[in-house]
Amino acid sequence: PPLLTPVGTTADRAGSAPRSHIECLNDIAIPLWSQRQMQAGMPCDAVHALPTGHSPFFAAPVELARLLDPLAAHAIIAP
């Protein structure tokens, strides 16, 4: 199962990429406690929250875009 499959990362590769997390506060597919476990396993630079279920792009597209826009503007794209 995808949530149980270990993923290996290194500090030189994925570990050095800036990360942010958007919590979906009403998500029943991946409950908030599980989202926070994932964040603890790979800490994020910023954590934001939306009062939506698993699909904020459907439930709150404008609010999601407002969160994603500054993150994308500061993204570092490796060659």
Side-chain angles (χ1 to χ4, degrees):
L3 291 177
L4 302 177
T5 303
V7 176
T9 60
T10 66
D12 292 337
R13 303 287 288 164
S16 65
R19 288 178 297 281
S20 297
H21 185 89
I22 299 173
E23 295 178 338
C24 296
L25 300 177
N26 301 321
D27 193 341
I28 57 174
I30 302 177
L32 190 56
W33 63 266
S34 183
Q35 294 176 55
R36 290 187 175 161
Q37 277 185 328
M38 288 186 271
Q39 293 171 44
M42 185 166 274
C44 301
D45 300 317
V47 177
H48 306 278
L50 287 175
T52 68
H54 192 68
S55 302
F57 41 87
F58 286 127
V62 172
E63 294 85 352
L64 179 61
R66 285 187 183 133
L67 290 176
L68 292 175
D69 186 55
L71 298 173
H74 294 98
I76 299 171
I77 300 175

